[in-house]
Amino acid sequence: MARIDETRPFIPVGIAVLTVSDTRTPDTDRSGDTLVARIAEAGHTLVARAIVTDDIAKIRATVEAWTRDDAIDVVITTGGTGFTGRDVTPEALEPIFEKRMDGFSEVFHRISYDKIGTSTIQSRATGGVANATFIFVLPGSPGACKDAWDGILKAQLDYRHMPCNFVEIMPRLDEHLKRTAG
């Protein structure tokens, strides 16, 4: 059963938050604020935060740059996961995933279903790994950000979470690159 092992040390990770929106500003970005507050409350480090428009090239360029920053272990995006013409965050980021995290989407939808019912199918939340960096693509509502953080990310980004967590595998995320380099 999942639990926190208090004998293990807490290891803070570096996190970047990207809000994808044509209309939000630093003063109106409630979803980004929700994530930043939870990151700080958990004891992690906010390394970067930005807002970009719903533009595939801008989204991808920002996230790819962050995955090359050694201080950033995790990128969380919020916004652009729906079905309208401007919702392009999955299209921007899934092509850079070296590995997809299908379970993230499945668990997110299970949690979301308990709160908003079948409306959860209107989100294309996804996750993956690129350049040894975890990437999570969340819907743009504060409620969805709370659900993803409280129900999944808070535990998986805590080294003390048992039986396993993302933090303990972070040093091995780039093994495939090391094998082919020599």
Side-chain angles (χ1 to χ4, degrees), residues 141-153:
S141 73
C145 291
K146 288 175 189 174
D147 290 347
W149 183 268
D150 297 348
I152 305 169
L153 298 176

Side-chain angles (χ1 to χ4, degrees), residues 90-108:
E91 287 78 9
L93 298 179
E94 286 180 336
I96 69 168
F97 290 171
E98 295 156 11
K99 297 186 182 216
R100 283 184 53 114
M101 191 181 306
D102 295 329
F104 174 78
S105 179
E106 293 166 6
V107 172
F108 173 80

Side-chain angles (χ1 to χ4, degrees), residues 90-179:
E91 287 78 9
L93 298 179
E94 286 180 336
I96 69 168
F97 290 171
E98 295 156 11
K99 297 186 182 216
R100 283 184 53 114
M101 191 181 306
D102 295 329
F104 174 78
S105 179
E106 293 166 6
V107 172
F108 173 80
H109 284 296
R110 186 194 57 77
I111 292 167
S112 182
Y113 181 82
D114 290 343
K115 297 187 177 180
I116 63 170
T118 59
S119 294
T120 190
I121 66 171
Q122 293 190 33
S123 163
R124 296 179 298 140
T126 188
V129 176
N131 290 328
T133 305
F134 286 108
I135 301 169
F136 302 100
V137 179
L138 310 181
S141 73
C145 291
K146 288 175 189 174
D147 290 347
W149 183 268
D150 297 348
I152 305 169
L153 298 176
K154 180 180 177 184
Q156 281 297 300
L157 295 175
D158 189 332
Y159 178 69
R160 303 167 301 166
H161 179 78
M162 302 304 285
C164 57
N165 59 77
F166 291 144
V167 179
E168 63 193 354
I169 64 171
M170 284 179 178
R172 301 189 331 260
L173 291 177
D174 62 353
E175 287 173 334
H176 65 291
L177 300 173
K178 292 175 184 174
R179 279 195 304 267

